[in-house]
Amino acid sequence: MQGLSPSARLRIEELSARYPRKRSALIPSLQIAQEEAGYISEEIMVEIARMMELSPNEVREVVSFYSLLHQKPVGRYVIQVCTNISCQLCDAEGILRHLRRRLGIGPGETTPDMKYTLLEVECLGSCGTSPVMQINDEYHENLTPEKIDCILDGLQ
Ligand code: FES
């Protein structure tokens, strides 16, 4: 895996120049890196740490905290299923079980064709419409197994 491209480096430098402390630009910088490579490799974490005047561990902690930042290659569709309390009360376990069966993978895994990655996550902030999942940037709410089949059938 290679590091950041010159254009990504430039975007990150421009971004961090807008803040009094470079580290304030850490999350958007990680998003730029992920946009380019699909995930944030160890090499990129070290490179960004240097640019933000942080330790590689500080960057690793941030990357591992946010479920939208990936440390390894992910599928074209990243499916995040909330299993926090409100969703749990509305059968999030059944939703997750259905997705496991349908995709043939468990949480944290990616299908061999690199189409889907399944993740179990904390509250997605849409508790009133539980159970909820997010596929890439899109929310899907009030889920049922039938609704999930319909959503997955609609993905190319
Ligand atoms: S608990 Fe699932 S969205 Fe809040």
Side-chain angles (χ1 to χ4, degrees):
M1 177 65 207
Q2 57 197 22
L4 293 165
S5 70
S7 69
R9 276 192 78 86
L10 184 66
R11 282 176 68 196
I12 291 171
E13 280 163 6
E14 284 171 357
L15 189 68
S16 53
R18 291 190 214 152
Y19 296 92
R21 286 164 21 133
K22 290 180 179 182
R23 63 179 55 198
S24 303
L26 178 59
I27 291 179
S29 300
L30 291 167
Q31 288 171 321
I32 289 171
Q34 182 165 280
E35 220 175 86
E36 181 173 76
Y39 72 105
I40 302 161
S41 66
E42 178 62 26
E43 187 182 349
I44 286 177
M45 284 191 253
V46 170
E47 197 174 344
I48 288 181
R50 209 176 303 121
M51 293 173 79
M52 303 277 122
E53 296 169 355
L54 291 164
S55 73
N57 260 346
E58 287 173 302
V59 175
R60 261 180 230 117
E61 282 168 9
V62 171
V63 173
S64 63
F65 181 79
Y66 289 102
S67 57
L68 278 174
L69 297 174
H70 311 298
Q71 294 178 70
K72 56 184 184 184
V74 291
R76 189 149 40 99
Y77 297 107
V78 178
I79 303 175
Q80 299 182 70
V81 181
C82 172
T83 54
N84 215 311
I85 190 71
S86 299
C87 289
Q88 202 179 89
L89 293 170
C90 295
D91 196 28
E93 281 309 315
I95 295 299
L96 194 57
R97 203 170 35 248
H98 184 73
L99 280 162
R100 293 176 78 120
R101 208 171 24 232
R102 165 95 196 224
L103 303 175
I105 54 172
E109 295 176 348
T110 298
T111 53
D113 63 359
M114 297 302 286
K115 186 168 180 183
Y116 300 106
T117 294
L118 182 60
L119 299 174
E120 186 177 347
V121 297
E122 298 299 324
C123 183
L124 287 168
S126 186
C127 314
T129 57
S130 302
V132 179
M133 71 177 177
Q134 183 176 345
I135 302 182
N136 296 347
D137 294 333
E138 199 172 332
Y139 269 39
H140 299 275
E141 301 158 309
N142 301 306
L143 293 171
T144 61
E146 296 72 31
K147 199 165 172 182
I148 288 173
D149 286 341
C150 193
I151 293 163
L152 294 182
D153 288 345
L155 298 177
Q156 298 303 309

mmCIF file of all heavy atoms in Angstrom, residues 82-88 121-132 139, ligand 1:
data_model
loop_
_atom_site.group_PDB
_atom_site.id
_atom_site.type_symbol
_atom_site.label_atom_id
_atom_site.label_comp_id
_atom_site.label_asym_id
_atom_site.label_seq_id
_atom_site.Cartn_x
_atom_site.Cartn_y
_atom_site.Cartn_z
ATOM 1 N N CYS A 82 -27.210 -0.889 13.572
ATOM 2 C CA CYS A 82 -27.216 -0.438 14.964
ATOM 3 C C CYS A 82 -27.790 -1.538 15.847
ATOM 4 O O CYS A 82 -28.867 -2.068 15.560
ATOM 5 C CB CYS A 82 -28.044 0.832 15.097
ATOM 6 S SG CYS A 82 -28.281 1.302 16.818
ATOM 7 N N THR A 83 -27.066 -1.860 16.915
ATOM 8 C CA THR A 83 -27.585 -2.852 17.871
ATOM 9 C C THR A 83 -27.660 -2.243 19.273
ATOM 10 O O THR A 83 -27.646 -2.953 20.261
ATOM 11 C CB THR A 83 -26.723 -4.133 17.879
ATOM 12 O OG1 THR A 83 -25.364 -3.778 18.103
ATOM 13 C CG2 THR A 83 -26.857 -4.901 16.588
ATOM 14 N N ASN A 84 -27.718 -0.922 19.318
ATOM 15 C CA ASN A 84 -27.846 -0.250 20.607
ATOM 16 C C ASN A 84 -29.281 -0.388 21.141
ATOM 17 O O ASN A 84 -30.144 -0.929 20.463
ATOM 18 C CB ASN A 84 -27.447 1.213 20.457
ATOM 19 C CG ASN A 84 -26.739 1.714 21.707
ATOM 20 O OD1 ASN A 84 -27.227 1.519 22.817
ATOM 21 N ND2 ASN A 84 -25.606 2.334 21.522
ATOM 22 N N ILE A 85 -29.526 0.161 22.315
ATOM 23 C CA ILE A 85 -30.729 -0.189 23.080
ATOM 24 C C ILE A 85 -32.061 -0.045 22.341
ATOM 25 O O ILE A 85 -32.847 -0.988 22.305
ATOM 26 C CB ILE A 85 -30.747 0.535 24.462
ATOM 27 C CG1 ILE A 85 -31.850 -0.005 25.344
ATOM 28 C CG2 ILE A 85 -30.796 2.023 24.326
ATOM 29 C CD1 ILE A 85 -31.597 -1.386 25.849
ATOM 30 N N SER A 86 -32.327 1.119 21.706
ATOM 31 C CA SER A 86 -33.636 1.291 21.038
ATOM 32 C C SER A 86 -33.802 0.288 19.913
ATOM 33 O O SER A 86 -34.881 -0.301 19.732
ATOM 34 C CB SER A 86 -33.784 2.705 20.480
ATOM 35 O OG SER A 86 -33.720 3.628 21.510
ATOM 36 N N CYS A 87 -32.747 0.094 19.140
ATOM 37 C CA CYS A 87 -32.817 -0.861 18.032
ATOM 38 C C CYS A 87 -32.910 -2.292 18.580
ATOM 39 O O CYS A 87 -33.630 -3.128 18.035
ATOM 40 C CB CYS A 87 -31.618 -0.692 17.105
ATOM 41 S SG CYS A 87 -31.711 0.839 16.142
ATOM 42 N N GLN A 88 -32.188 -2.529 19.667
ATOM 43 C CA GLN A 88 -32.225 -3.853 20.296
ATOM 44 C C GLN A 88 -33.657 -4.215 20.702
ATOM 45 O O GLN A 88 -34.101 -5.344 20.522
ATOM 46 C CB GLN A 88 -31.328 -3.813 21.518
ATOM 47 C CG GLN A 88 -30.824 -5.143 21.987
ATOM 48 C CD GLN A 88 -29.934 -4.930 23.187
ATOM 49 O OE1 GLN A 88 -30.429 -4.922 24.312
ATOM 50 N NE2 GLN A 88 -28.647 -4.745 22.958
ATOM 51 N N VAL A 121 -22.776 -1.577 14.842
ATOM 52 C CA VAL A 121 -22.336 -0.289 15.386
ATOM 53 C C VAL A 121 -23.228 0.175 16.530
ATOM 54 O O VAL A 121 -24.313 -0.355 16.755
ATOM 55 C CB VAL A 121 -22.302 0.811 14.286
ATOM 56 C CG1 VAL A 121 -21.302 0.478 13.200
ATOM 57 C CG2 VAL A 121 -23.688 1.063 13.704
ATOM 58 N N GLU A 122 -22.735 1.204 17.210
ATOM 59 C CA GLU A 122 -23.513 1.832 18.277
ATOM 60 C C GLU A 122 -24.548 2.762 17.648
ATOM 61 O O GLU A 122 -24.611 2.885 16.431
ATOM 62 C CB GLU A 122 -22.568 2.607 19.208
ATOM 63 C CG GLU A 122 -21.544 1.740 19.921
ATOM 64 C CD GLU A 122 -22.180 0.683 20.816
ATOM 65 O OE1 GLU A 122 -23.229 0.963 21.423
ATOM 66 O OE2 GLU A 122 -21.636 -0.425 20.897
ATOM 67 N N CYS A 123 -25.314 3.441 18.485
ATOM 68 C CA CYS A 123 -26.439 4.276 18.042
ATOM 69 C C CYS A 123 -26.123 5.142 16.820
ATOM 70 O O CYS A 123 -25.148 5.879 16.790
ATOM 71 C CB CYS A 123 -26.867 5.161 19.198
ATOM 72 S SG CYS A 123 -28.289 6.175 18.789
ATOM 73 N N LEU A 124 -26.980 5.028 15.815
ATOM 74 C CA LEU A 124 -26.817 5.832 14.600
ATOM 75 C C LEU A 124 -27.583 7.152 14.702
ATOM 76 O O LEU A 124 -27.647 7.918 13.745
ATOM 77 C CB LEU A 124 -27.295 5.036 13.379
ATOM 78 C CG LEU A 124 -26.372 3.892 12.918
ATOM 79 C CD1 LEU A 124 -27.077 3.008 11.902
ATOM 80 C CD2 LEU A 124 -25.074 4.432 12.336
ATOM 81 N N GLY A 125 -28.185 7.403 15.854
ATOM 82 C CA GLY A 125 -28.853 8.687 16.079
ATOM 83 C C GLY A 125 -30.238 8.776 15.462
ATOM 84 O O GLY A 125 -30.740 9.861 15.229
ATOM 85 N N SER A 126 -30.843 7.636 15.196
ATOM 86 C CA SER A 126 -32.191 7.653 14.630
ATOM 87 C C SER A 126 -33.075 6.673 15.409
ATOM 88 O O SER A 126 -33.809 5.871 14.821
ATOM 89 C CB SER A 126 -32.119 7.289 13.141
ATOM 90 O OG SER A 126 -33.388 7.440 12.557
ATOM 91 N N CYS A 127 -32.998 6.775 16.739
ATOM 92 C CA CYS A 127 -33.655 5.800 17.614
ATOM 93 C C CYS A 127 -35.171 5.739 17.405
ATOM 94 O O CYS A 127 -35.781 4.694 17.613
ATOM 95 C CB CYS A 127 -33.361 6.119 19.067
ATOM 96 S SG CYS A 127 -31.641 6.487 19.374
ATOM 97 N N GLY A 128 -35.773 6.857 17.027
ATOM 98 C CA GLY A 128 -37.220 6.901 16.837
ATOM 99 C C GLY A 128 -37.704 6.078 15.658
ATOM 100 O O GLY A 128 -38.911 5.850 15.522
ATOM 101 N N THR A 129 -36.790 5.658 14.807
ATOM 102 C CA THR A 129 -37.182 4.868 13.633
ATOM 103 C C THR A 129 -36.484 3.505 13.640
ATOM 104 O O THR A 129 -36.176 2.942 12.594
ATOM 105 C CB THR A 129 -36.857 5.614 12.320
ATOM 106 O OG1 THR A 129 -35.463 5.914 12.313
ATOM 107 C CG2 THR A 129 -37.661 6.890 12.185
ATOM 108 N N SER A 130 -36.241 2.987 14.829
ATOM 109 C CA SER A 130 -35.574 1.683 14.984
ATOM 110 C C SER A 130 -36.405 0.556 14.376
ATOM 111 O O SER A 130 -37.638 0.678 14.386
ATOM 112 C CB SER A 130 -35.374 1.380 16.466
ATOM 113 O OG SER A 130 -34.631 2.396 17.061
ATOM 114 N N PRO A 131 -35.772 -0.507 13.945
ATOM 115 C CA PRO A 131 -34.322 -0.711 13.833
ATOM 116 C C PRO A 131 -33.767 -0.040 12.571
ATOM 117 O O PRO A 131 -34.453 0.076 11.565
ATOM 118 C CB PRO A 131 -34.185 -2.229 13.758
ATOM 119 C CG PRO A 131 -35.489 -2.723 13.228
ATOM 120 C CD PRO A 131 -36.527 -1.717 13.613
ATOM 121 N N VAL A 132 -32.497 0.340 12.686
ATOM 122 C CA VAL A 132 -31.877 1.178 11.663
ATOM 123 C C VAL A 132 -30.566 0.566 11.177
ATOM 124 O O VAL A 132 -29.824 -0.028 11.948
ATOM 125 C CB VAL A 132 -31.565 2.579 12.258
ATOM 126 C CG1 VAL A 132 -30.907 3.472 11.236
ATOM 127 C CG2 VAL A 132 -32.831 3.228 12.792
ATOM 128 N N TYR A 139 -29.346 6.220 5.180
ATOM 129 C CA TYR A 139 -30.034 5.559 6.287
ATOM 130 C C TYR A 139 -31.209 4.724 5.779
ATOM 131 O O TYR A 139 -31.897 5.127 4.854
ATOM 132 C CB TYR A 139 -30.607 6.609 7.245
ATOM 133 C CG TYR A 139 -29.675 6.990 8.361
ATOM 134 C CD1 TYR A 139 -28.310 7.129 8.144
ATOM 135 C CD2 TYR A 139 -30.159 7.235 9.641
ATOM 136 C CE1 TYR A 139 -27.463 7.487 9.163
ATOM 137 C CE2 TYR A 139 -29.309 7.604 10.670
ATOM 138 C CZ TYR A 139 -27.965 7.724 10.426
ATOM 139 O OH TYR A 139 -27.118 8.079 11.438
HETATM 140 S S1 FES B 1 -30.298 2.883 19.198
HETATM 141 FE FE1 FES B 1 -30.316 2.445 17.073
HETATM 142 S S2 FES B 1 -30.381 4.377 16.160
HETATM 143 FE FE2 FES B 1 -30.267 4.824 18.278
#
